[in-house]
Structure formats: structure tokens, C-alpha cells
Short mmCIF file of all heavy atoms in Angstrom, two decimals:
data_model
loop_
_atom_site.label_atom_id
_atom_site.label_comp_id
_atom_site.label_asym_id
_atom_site.label_seq_id
_atom_site.Cartn_x
_atom_site.Cartn_y
_atom_site.Cartn_z
N VAL A 1 -7.36 10.09 -9.13
CA VAL A 1 -7.47 9.78 -10.55
C VAL A 1 -8.76 8.99 -10.84
O VAL A 1 -9.50 9.30 -11.76
CB VAL A 1 -6.23 9.00 -11.03
CG1 VAL A 1 -6.39 8.60 -12.50
CG2 VAL A 1 -4.97 9.85 -10.86
N LEU A 2 -8.98 7.95 -10.06
CA LEU A 2 -10.13 7.07 -10.30
C LEU A 2 -11.39 7.54 -9.59
O LEU A 2 -12.48 6.97 -9.81
CB LEU A 2 -9.82 5.63 -9.89
CG LEU A 2 -8.65 4.98 -10.61
CD1 LEU A 2 -8.47 3.54 -10.13
CD2 LEU A 2 -8.87 5.00 -12.12
N LYS A 3 -11.26 8.52 -8.70
CA LYS A 3 -12.40 9.11 -7.98
C LYS A 3 -13.12 8.10 -7.13
O LYS A 3 -14.34 8.17 -6.91
CB LYS A 3 -13.41 9.76 -8.96
CG LYS A 3 -12.76 10.77 -9.92
CD LYS A 3 -12.03 11.88 -9.19
CE LYS A 3 -11.40 12.87 -10.15
NZ LYS A 3 -10.57 13.91 -9.45
N ARG A 4 -12.35 7.14 -6.59
CA ARG A 4 -12.96 6.20 -5.64
C ARG A 4 -13.20 6.91 -4.29
O ARG A 4 -12.50 7.87 -3.97
CB ARG A 4 -12.05 5.00 -5.44
CG ARG A 4 -11.96 4.06 -6.61
CD ARG A 4 -10.97 2.95 -6.38
NE ARG A 4 -10.85 2.08 -7.56
CZ ARG A 4 -9.80 1.37 -7.86
NH1 ARG A 4 -8.71 1.41 -7.10
NH2 ARG A 4 -9.78 0.60 -8.92
N SER A 5 -14.12 6.41 -3.56
CA SER A 5 -14.36 6.97 -2.20
C SER A 5 -13.17 6.62 -1.31
O SER A 5 -12.42 5.66 -1.59
CB SER A 5 -15.63 6.39 -1.62
OG SER A 5 -15.47 5.00 -1.31
N LYS A 6 -13.01 7.35 -0.25
CA LYS A 6 -11.90 7.11 0.67
C LYS A 6 -12.01 5.70 1.27
O LYS A 6 -10.98 5.01 1.39
CB LYS A 6 -11.90 8.16 1.78
CG LYS A 6 -10.73 8.08 2.71
CD LYS A 6 -10.72 9.22 3.74
CE LYS A 6 -9.56 9.12 4.69
NZ LYS A 6 -9.57 10.22 5.69
N ASP A 7 -13.22 5.29 1.62
CA ASP A 7 -13.41 3.97 2.22
C ASP A 7 -13.04 2.87 1.20
O ASP A 7 -12.34 1.91 1.58
CB ASP A 7 -14.84 3.77 2.66
CG ASP A 7 -15.16 4.56 3.94
OD1 ASP A 7 -14.20 5.04 4.59
OD2 ASP A 7 -16.34 4.72 4.26
N GLU A 8 -13.48 3.01 -0.04
CA GLU A 8 -13.15 2.01 -1.04
C GLU A 8 -11.66 1.96 -1.31
O GLU A 8 -11.05 0.89 -1.40
CB GLU A 8 -13.91 2.30 -2.34
CG GLU A 8 -13.66 1.25 -3.42
CD GLU A 8 -14.32 1.57 -4.75
OE1 GLU A 8 -14.84 2.70 -4.90
OE2 GLU A 8 -14.27 0.72 -5.64
N ALA A 9 -11.03 3.15 -1.40
CA ALA A 9 -9.59 3.20 -1.65
C ALA A 9 -8.82 2.56 -0.49
O ALA A 9 -7.83 1.83 -0.76
CB ALA A 9 -9.17 4.66 -1.86
N ASN A 10 -9.22 2.80 0.71
CA ASN A 10 -8.52 2.22 1.85
C ASN A 10 -8.67 0.71 1.87
O ASN A 10 -7.72 0.00 2.23
CB ASN A 10 -9.04 2.82 3.17
CG ASN A 10 -8.39 4.16 3.48
OD1 ASN A 10 -7.19 4.37 3.28
ND2 ASN A 10 -9.19 5.13 3.96
N LYS A 11 -9.84 0.21 1.53
CA LYS A 11 -10.04 -1.26 1.53
C LYS A 11 -9.16 -1.89 0.45
O LYS A 11 -8.50 -2.93 0.73
CB LYS A 11 -11.50 -1.58 1.25
CG LYS A 11 -11.77 -3.10 1.26
CD LYS A 11 -13.19 -3.44 0.92
CE LYS A 11 -13.41 -4.96 1.06
NZ LYS A 11 -12.43 -5.78 0.32
N ILE A 12 -9.11 -1.30 -0.72
CA ILE A 12 -8.28 -1.84 -1.80
C ILE A 12 -6.81 -1.80 -1.41
O ILE A 12 -6.06 -2.75 -1.61
CB ILE A 12 -8.52 -1.11 -3.12
CG1 ILE A 12 -9.95 -1.43 -3.63
CG2 ILE A 12 -7.49 -1.47 -4.18
CD1 ILE A 12 -10.40 -0.59 -4.80
N ALA A 13 -6.41 -0.67 -0.79
CA ALA A 13 -5.00 -0.53 -0.34
C ALA A 13 -4.65 -1.63 0.69
O ALA A 13 -3.57 -2.23 0.63
CB ALA A 13 -4.78 0.85 0.25
N THR A 14 -5.56 -1.85 1.61
CA THR A 14 -5.32 -2.88 2.63
C THR A 14 -5.19 -4.26 1.99
O THR A 14 -4.31 -5.04 2.35
CB THR A 14 -6.50 -2.89 3.65
OG1 THR A 14 -6.55 -1.61 4.31
CG2 THR A 14 -6.33 -3.98 4.69
N ASP A 15 -6.06 -4.55 1.01
CA ASP A 15 -5.99 -5.83 0.32
C ASP A 15 -4.68 -5.99 -0.43
O ASP A 15 -4.07 -7.09 -0.41
CB ASP A 15 -7.17 -5.96 -0.66
CG ASP A 15 -8.50 -6.10 0.02
OD1 ASP A 15 -8.51 -6.38 1.24
OD2 ASP A 15 -9.53 -5.91 -0.66
N MET A 16 -4.24 -4.91 -1.09
CA MET A 16 -3.00 -5.02 -1.88
C MET A 16 -1.75 -5.09 -1.01
O MET A 16 -0.80 -5.78 -1.36
CB MET A 16 -2.91 -3.83 -2.85
CG MET A 16 -3.97 -3.87 -3.93
SD MET A 16 -3.99 -5.42 -4.86
CE MET A 16 -5.67 -5.46 -5.47
N LEU A 17 -1.78 -4.42 0.13
CA LEU A 17 -0.63 -4.57 1.06
C LEU A 17 -0.55 -5.99 1.57
O LEU A 17 0.55 -6.56 1.72
CB LEU A 17 -0.77 -3.60 2.22
CG LEU A 17 -0.36 -2.15 1.94
CD1 LEU A 17 -0.60 -1.30 3.18
CD2 LEU A 17 1.10 -2.06 1.53
N ALA A 18 -1.71 -6.61 1.83
CA ALA A 18 -1.71 -8.01 2.26
C ALA A 18 -1.15 -8.89 1.15
O ALA A 18 -0.41 -9.86 1.40
CB ALA A 18 -3.11 -8.45 2.64
N ARG A 19 -1.47 -8.56 -0.08
CA ARG A 19 -1.06 -9.35 -1.23
C ARG A 19 0.46 -9.35 -1.35
O ARG A 19 1.04 -10.36 -1.79
CB ARG A 19 -1.69 -8.78 -2.50
CG ARG A 19 -1.48 -9.58 -3.75
CD ARG A 19 -2.28 -8.98 -4.89
NE ARG A 19 -2.15 -9.72 -6.11
CZ ARG A 19 -2.81 -9.45 -7.21
NH1 ARG A 19 -3.68 -8.47 -7.24
NH2 ARG A 19 -2.63 -10.17 -8.31
N VAL A 20 1.13 -8.25 -1.00
CA VAL A 20 2.59 -8.19 -1.10
C VAL A 20 3.26 -8.43 0.24
O VAL A 20 4.46 -8.25 0.39
CB VAL A 20 3.06 -6.86 -1.71
CG1 VAL A 20 2.48 -6.66 -3.09
CG2 VAL A 20 2.72 -5.66 -0.81
N GLY A 21 2.48 -8.86 1.23
CA GLY A 21 3.04 -9.26 2.51
C GLY A 21 3.48 -8.11 3.41
O GLY A 21 4.41 -8.28 4.21
N LEU A 22 2.80 -6.96 3.33
CA LEU A 22 3.23 -5.79 4.11
C LEU A 22 2.06 -5.14 4.88
O LEU A 22 2.05 -3.93 5.10
CB LEU A 22 3.88 -4.75 3.19
CG LEU A 22 5.23 -5.14 2.60
CD1 LEU A 22 5.69 -4.10 1.58
CD2 LEU A 22 6.29 -5.29 3.69
N SER A 23 1.13 -5.95 5.31
CA SER A 23 -0.03 -5.40 6.03
C SER A 23 0.36 -4.57 7.22
O SER A 23 -0.28 -3.56 7.53
CB SER A 23 -0.96 -6.53 6.47
OG SER A 23 -1.51 -7.20 5.37
N GLU A 24 1.43 -4.95 7.89
CA GLU A 24 1.83 -4.30 9.13
C GLU A 24 2.56 -2.97 8.89
O GLU A 24 2.87 -2.24 9.86
CB GLU A 24 2.73 -5.22 9.95
CG GLU A 24 4.17 -5.36 9.48
CD GLU A 24 4.35 -6.26 8.23
OE1 GLU A 24 3.34 -6.79 7.74
OE2 GLU A 24 5.51 -6.43 7.80
N LYS A 25 2.80 -2.62 7.63
CA LYS A 25 3.55 -1.40 7.31
C LYS A 25 2.68 -0.24 6.85
O LYS A 25 3.19 0.78 6.40
CB LYS A 25 4.62 -1.70 6.24
CG LYS A 25 5.61 -2.77 6.64
CD LYS A 25 6.47 -2.35 7.81
CE LYS A 25 7.54 -3.39 8.11
NZ LYS A 25 8.37 -3.02 9.29
N ALA A 26 1.36 -0.37 6.95
CA ALA A 26 0.45 0.63 6.37
C ALA A 26 0.72 2.03 6.90
O ALA A 26 0.61 3.03 6.15
CB ALA A 26 -0.99 0.26 6.65
N ASP A 27 1.11 2.19 8.17
CA ASP A 27 1.27 3.52 8.77
C ASP A 27 2.71 4.00 8.74
O ASP A 27 2.99 5.10 9.22
CB ASP A 27 0.74 3.51 10.21
CG ASP A 27 -0.77 3.24 10.26
OD1 ASP A 27 -1.47 3.69 9.33
OD2 ASP A 27 -1.21 2.58 11.20
N GLU A 28 3.60 3.19 8.20
CA GLU A 28 5.01 3.60 8.13
C GLU A 28 5.21 4.59 6.96
O GLU A 28 4.41 4.65 6.05
CB GLU A 28 5.90 2.38 7.92
CG GLU A 28 5.93 1.39 9.05
CD GLU A 28 6.79 1.84 10.23
OE1 GLU A 28 7.25 3.01 10.21
OE2 GLU A 28 6.98 1.04 11.14
N PHE A 29 6.34 5.29 7.00
CA PHE A 29 6.73 6.13 5.91
C PHE A 29 7.86 5.43 5.15
O PHE A 29 8.60 4.63 5.72
CB PHE A 29 7.19 7.52 6.42
CG PHE A 29 6.04 8.41 6.82
CD1 PHE A 29 5.42 8.21 8.04
CD2 PHE A 29 5.56 9.39 5.95
CE1 PHE A 29 4.34 9.00 8.43
CE2 PHE A 29 4.50 10.17 6.32
CZ PHE A 29 3.86 10.00 7.55
N PRO A 30 7.98 5.71 3.84
CA PRO A 30 8.93 4.98 3.01
C PRO A 30 10.35 4.94 3.57
O PRO A 30 11.05 3.92 3.44
CB PRO A 30 8.85 5.72 1.66
CG PRO A 30 7.46 6.21 1.60
CD PRO A 30 7.12 6.61 3.01
N ILE A 31 10.80 6.01 4.20
CA ILE A 31 12.17 6.05 4.68
C ILE A 31 12.46 4.98 5.74
O ILE A 31 13.60 4.60 5.94
CB ILE A 31 12.52 7.46 5.24
CG1 ILE A 31 14.03 7.62 5.36
CG2 ILE A 31 11.79 7.72 6.55
CD1 ILE A 31 14.47 9.05 5.68
N ARG A 32 11.42 4.49 6.39
CA ARG A 32 11.57 3.49 7.42
C ARG A 32 11.49 2.05 6.90
O ARG A 32 11.53 1.09 7.66
CB ARG A 32 10.52 3.70 8.52
CG ARG A 32 10.70 5.00 9.27
CD ARG A 32 9.60 5.21 10.28
NE ARG A 32 9.53 4.11 11.27
CZ ARG A 32 10.25 4.07 12.39
NH1 ARG A 32 11.12 5.05 12.67
NH2 ARG A 32 10.11 3.06 13.21
N LEU A 33 11.41 1.91 5.58
CA LEU A 33 11.31 0.61 4.97
C LEU A 33 12.60 0.23 4.23
O LEU A 33 13.34 1.11 3.79
CB LEU A 33 10.18 0.60 3.92
CG LEU A 33 8.77 0.96 4.42
CD1 LEU A 33 7.79 0.92 3.25
CD2 LEU A 33 8.31 0.06 5.53
N SER A 34 12.88 -1.03 4.15
CA SER A 34 14.01 -1.49 3.33
C SER A 34 13.71 -1.29 1.87
O SER A 34 12.55 -1.03 1.46
CB SER A 34 14.24 -2.98 3.58
OG SER A 34 13.20 -3.76 3.00
N GLY A 35 14.72 -1.37 1.04
CA GLY A 35 14.51 -1.22 -0.39
C GLY A 35 13.55 -2.24 -0.94
O GLY A 35 12.65 -1.92 -1.78
N GLY A 36 13.64 -3.47 -0.49
CA GLY A 36 12.74 -4.49 -0.96
C GLY A 36 11.32 -4.22 -0.56
O GLY A 36 10.38 -4.43 -1.33
N GLN A 37 11.13 -3.71 0.67
CA GLN A 37 9.79 -3.37 1.11
C GLN A 37 9.24 -2.19 0.32
O GLN A 37 8.05 -2.17 -0.06
CB GLN A 37 9.80 -3.04 2.61
CG GLN A 37 10.02 -4.26 3.47
CD GLN A 37 10.29 -3.89 4.93
OE1 GLN A 37 10.74 -2.77 5.25
NE2 GLN A 37 10.01 -4.82 5.85
N GLN A 38 10.08 -1.20 0.04
CA GLN A 38 9.63 -0.05 -0.74
C GLN A 38 9.19 -0.50 -2.14
O GLN A 38 8.18 -0.02 -2.66
CB GLN A 38 10.74 0.98 -0.84
CG GLN A 38 11.00 1.74 0.44
CD GLN A 38 12.01 2.86 0.24
OE1 GLN A 38 11.79 3.77 -0.54
NE2 GLN A 38 13.14 2.78 0.95
N GLN A 39 9.93 -1.42 -2.73
CA GLN A 39 9.56 -1.86 -4.08
C GLN A 39 8.24 -2.66 -4.04
O GLN A 39 7.43 -2.56 -4.97
CB GLN A 39 10.68 -2.66 -4.72
CG GLN A 39 10.53 -2.91 -6.20
CD GLN A 39 10.51 -1.63 -7.02
OE1 GLN A 39 9.55 -0.85 -6.95
NE2 GLN A 39 11.57 -1.41 -7.80
N ARG A 40 8.05 -3.44 -3.00
CA ARG A 40 6.80 -4.15 -2.86
C ARG A 40 5.64 -3.18 -2.67
O ARG A 40 4.52 -3.42 -3.19
CB ARG A 40 6.85 -5.18 -1.73
CG ARG A 40 7.64 -6.42 -2.10
CD ARG A 40 7.52 -7.48 -1.03
NE ARG A 40 8.37 -7.20 0.12
CZ ARG A 40 8.17 -7.71 1.33
NH1 ARG A 40 7.10 -8.48 1.57
NH2 ARG A 40 9.00 -7.43 2.32
N VAL A 41 5.84 -2.11 -1.92
CA VAL A 41 4.83 -1.08 -1.78
C VAL A 41 4.51 -0.45 -3.16
O VAL A 41 3.36 -0.19 -3.51
CB VAL A 41 5.24 0.01 -0.77
CG1 VAL A 41 4.32 1.21 -0.83
CG2 VAL A 41 5.27 -0.56 0.63
N ALA A 42 5.58 -0.22 -3.94
CA ALA A 42 5.39 0.37 -5.27
C ALA A 42 4.56 -0.56 -6.15
O ALA A 42 3.70 -0.11 -6.92
CB ALA A 42 6.76 0.67 -5.91
N ILE A 43 4.78 -1.86 -6.07
CA ILE A 43 3.97 -2.83 -6.82
C ILE A 43 2.54 -2.79 -6.34
O ILE A 43 1.60 -2.76 -7.13
CB ILE A 43 4.58 -4.25 -6.70
CG1 ILE A 43 5.96 -4.30 -7.39
CG2 ILE A 43 3.63 -5.28 -7.32
CD1 ILE A 43 6.72 -5.59 -7.16
N ALA A 44 2.36 -2.76 -5.02
CA ALA A 44 1.00 -2.69 -4.45
C ALA A 44 0.28 -1.44 -4.91
O ALA A 44 -0.91 -1.47 -5.23
CB ALA A 44 1.06 -2.77 -2.92
N ARG A 45 1.00 -0.32 -4.94
CA ARG A 45 0.40 0.94 -5.38
C ARG A 45 -0.09 0.83 -6.82
O ARG A 45 -1.19 1.28 -7.14
CB ARG A 45 1.40 2.10 -5.24
CG ARG A 45 0.83 3.44 -5.70
CD ARG A 45 1.81 4.58 -5.49
NE ARG A 45 3.02 4.40 -6.28
CZ ARG A 45 4.03 5.27 -6.29
NH1 ARG A 45 3.99 6.35 -5.51
NH2 ARG A 45 5.09 5.06 -7.03
N ALA A 46 0.73 0.23 -7.69
CA ALA A 46 0.32 0.05 -9.07
C ALA A 46 -0.90 -0.86 -9.16
O ALA A 46 -1.83 -0.59 -9.92
CB ALA A 46 1.47 -0.52 -9.89
N LEU A 47 -0.92 -1.92 -8.37
CA LEU A 47 -2.03 -2.85 -8.42
C LEU A 47 -3.34 -2.26 -7.88
O LEU A 47 -4.42 -2.68 -8.26
CB LEU A 47 -1.70 -4.12 -7.60
CG LEU A 47 -0.58 -5.00 -8.14
CD1 LEU A 47 -0.27 -6.12 -7.19
CD2 LEU A 47 -0.94 -5.54 -9.51
N CYS A 48 -3.24 -1.26 -7.02
CA CYS A 48 -4.43 -0.60 -6.51
C CYS A 48 -5.28 0.04 -7.61
O CYS A 48 -6.46 0.22 -7.45
CB CYS A 48 -4.04 0.50 -5.50
SG CYS A 48 -3.67 -0.12 -3.83
#
């Protein structure tokens, strides 16, 4: 949507995951997360 480069998008995603306390979950899939973790990922996605 925003046409950011892959590198820029990955950096912002990493920053936002850290902001919601989920840096270690970057490579996980949603099914492996608790509901609270999934909602924090959803917030991070919006903030990206």
C-alpha cells in the first residue's frame, strides 16, 4: 500500500514488534501465538 522498500518495511516492523514486546516472535505464525500476543501483533501491524 505504502510502496516502502522491503528493507524499510522490515526495519519498521522490527521496531514495532519491539514496541509491543514481541521481538522474539517475528518468525512465528499467528496460530502459535496466544490471543494476547496476536492482538499485540495486530496493534503493531496497524502502527507500521
Side-chain angles (χ1 to χ4, degrees):
V1 176
L2 299 182
K3 307 303 180 186
R4 289 176 182 154
S5 69
K6 185 176 179 181
D7 286 346
E8 182 184 9
N10 277 319
K11 181 183 185 308
I12 291 171
T14 298
D15 291 345
M16 293 306 156
L17 281 178
R19 186 173 182 176
V20 300
L22 290 173
S23 296
E24 76 283 1
K25 300 296 185 181
D27 296 326
E28 295 283 7
F29 284 78
I31 196 171
R32 294 177 59 87
L33 303 179
S34 70
Q37 289 170 335
Q38 289 186 60
Q39 193 61 291
R40 283 188 283 158
V41 169
I43 294 172
R45 179 177 63 180
L47 293 175
C48 280

